Amino acid sequence: MFRPIILFFALCAAAFATVTTTSADRRIDELDTPLTKGTANEAEVQLALQIAEKTRCDPNICFAVDGSGSMDVTEFQLEKDFTNLVAAVVAYDEQARFAAVQYGLRPKFISRLTEDADAFLEAVHYTESLNAPRTFIAPGLAGCIRQFYYLKGEPKHIVLLGDGRSNFDSKLPPLDPVSIAQAFLANPNNTISAVGVGFDADDTMLTNIAGGEENVFNVGQWLEVTTVLAELVGEVCGLDAVEF
């Protein structure tokens, strides 16, 4: 009697996985970015998709995107492409929520928190760089935190993207990025990942913002950023909580 019921739910689960995987493949194909081209990048994307499926990924995630003048046009485009690539992969569950804030001298919302993954991808795609003369990370983090205000008790994840530089930050709490990050991380359900690209100097600030070296991903150039995709997705989706 129970076997047909179990089979029914198994078929529903399989159908759901197929639909979500197909949606992810479609979104990734539509990105049309060099970050998904080539054997190595394709393999990394597939591994990331497997992680999202295994964890049944449904994050509340906000991207803090570097819009300072230290990012040239090509780098900013690749930064947007990577933001959308991560979002496309982790949108495994329709309950996943996305937001993005661009930081420069002042923050600018790219997308307020939404469950509409396609609308989020479109908003990021059409965003133009602030090309700000300074890099002020703190408002980018604070902007993401504000987007999570009504998600009481739910896990929240911030992905901080950029070249790792900050030349306009208060050194004193509560306006410095580290203090803002630490207040957010005081809730054990909250996490921050920092992706620093093309910056080989001391990454102490990114480490302090993310709460540890294990949460910082350093890459030489934006064309190589896909190399950290699967590891980042694992962190966002909570891979350490499941067997893989």
Side-chain angles (χ1 to χ4, degrees):
M1 177 177 178
F2 290 104
R3 189 177 299 275
I5 297 175
I6 294 173
L7 179 60
F8 171 76
F9 282 111
L11 290 172
C12 288
F16 175 77
T18 301
V19 169
T20 51
T21 302
T22 301
S23 297
D25 288 338
R26 172 185 60 78
R27 290 171 179 143
I28 291 169
D29 288 342
E30 290 176 351
L31 294 181
D32 190 24
T33 171
L35 297 182
T36 61
K37 303 297 193 296
T39 303
N41 285 346
E42 289 173 358
E44 189 76 11
V45 170
Q46 289 305 310
L47 178 57
L49 286 169
Q50 291 174 32
I51 291 171
E53 182 176 357
K54 178 67 176 181
T55 57
R56 303 196 72 80
C57 200
D58 63 342
N60 300 305
I61 183 171
C62 180
F63 298 86
V65 177
D66 189 346
S68 67
S70 61
M71 303 275 292
D72 65 30
V73 174
T74 300
E75 290 171 335
F76 185 72
Q77 181 61 55
L78 291 172
E79 181 182 30
K80 293 194 302 176
D81 289 348
F82 186 67
T83 297
N84 274 349
L85 179 56
V86 175
V89 169
V90 304
Y92 183 83
D93 192 305
E94 292 183 358
Q95 302 304 311
R97 300 183 182 96
F98 309 90
V101 179
Q102 184 180 175
Y103 63 90
L105 187 57
R106 296 178 180 177
K108 179 180 180 181
F109 285 105
I110 296 173
S111 171
R112 296 186 184 274
L113 198 66
T114 178
E115 293 181 356
D116 189 334
D118 291 311
F120 175 82
L121 297 178
E122 184 176 10
V124 173
H125 176 74
Y126 286 107
T127 293
E128 296 184 357
S129 173
L130 292 170
N131 196 29
R134 301 285 185 90
T135 305
F136 196 7
I137 293 176
L141 295 173
C144 277
I145 293 170
R146 286 198 298 273
Q147 289 302 293
F148 294 143
Y149 181 78
Y150 293 104
L151 302 181
K152 306 297 185 183
E154 297 188 37
K156 309 166 190 71
H157 196 103
I158 295 174
V159 176
L160 173 63
L161 298 163
D163 58 15
R165 296 175 176 85
S166 179
N167 56 15
F168 192 78
D169 279 316
S170 169
K171 304 299 182 184
L172 300 174
L175 299 178
D176 65 302
V178 174
S179 293
I180 292 172
Q182 288 176 344
F184 177 71
L185 294 174
N187 184 328
N189 289 324
N190 297 342
T191 47
I192 298 176
S193 301
V195 181
V197 182
F199 186 48
D200 298 326
D202 186 4
D203 64 357
T204 301
M205 183 185 66
L206 291 183
T207 299
N208 290 336
I209 288 173
E213 291 183 357
E214 68 277 9
N215 303 321
V216 178
F217 304 88
N218 286 314
V219 184
Q221 57 181 317
W222 281 101
L223 279 173
E224 300 171 350
V225 72
T226 308
T227 60
V228 302
L229 175 66
E231 191 175 359
L232 176 62
V233 168
E235 193 164 281
V236 170
C237 297
L239 181 60
D240 59 351
V242 300
E243 295 182 4
F244 190 73

